[in-house]
Amino acid sequence: LLKHFNVDCVFDVGANTGQYANMLRNKAGFKGRIISFEPIPEAAETVRRKTRNDPLWTVEELALADTS
């Protein structure tokens, strides 16, 4: 589906330790931008370590919600 719909960016909401983004890169072959959102500092740091050699994968240490 990623190729079929020409997806060029994925929002990984609730990234945890980056399992979904890893699957996108390693199994689905996704080469576009990934933005991981993870509010838990320890988990966000784990994802940051995984992104060090991937300029198209960034981490935002925050939660997404429809209210403050």
Side-chain angles (χ1 to χ4, degrees):
L1 288 175
L2 295 168
K3 287 180 183 177
H4 178 77
F5 289 107
N6 294 319
V7 174
D8 63 356
C9 182
V10 171
F11 289 174
D12 180 17
V13 178
N16 193 260
T17 60
Q19 307 93 305
Y20 181 69
N22 271 336
M23 182 279 300
L24 287 173
R25 286 288 191 247
N26 300 325
K27 295 195 184 222
F30 181 68
K31 304 225 185 291
R33 177 163 299 284
I34 299 172
I35 304 170
S36 294
F37 298 90
E38 177 52 55
I40 300 171
E42 296 82 8
E45 180 55 33
T46 298
V47 181
R48 266 192 216 94
R49 283 194 299 272
K50 294 177 180 180
T51 69
R52 284 192 181 132
N53 295 318
D54 189 338
L56 292 177
W57 183 6
T58 57
V59 180
E60 298 295 331
E61 191 175 317
L62 53 89
L64 299 178
D66 61 354
T67 59
S68 296

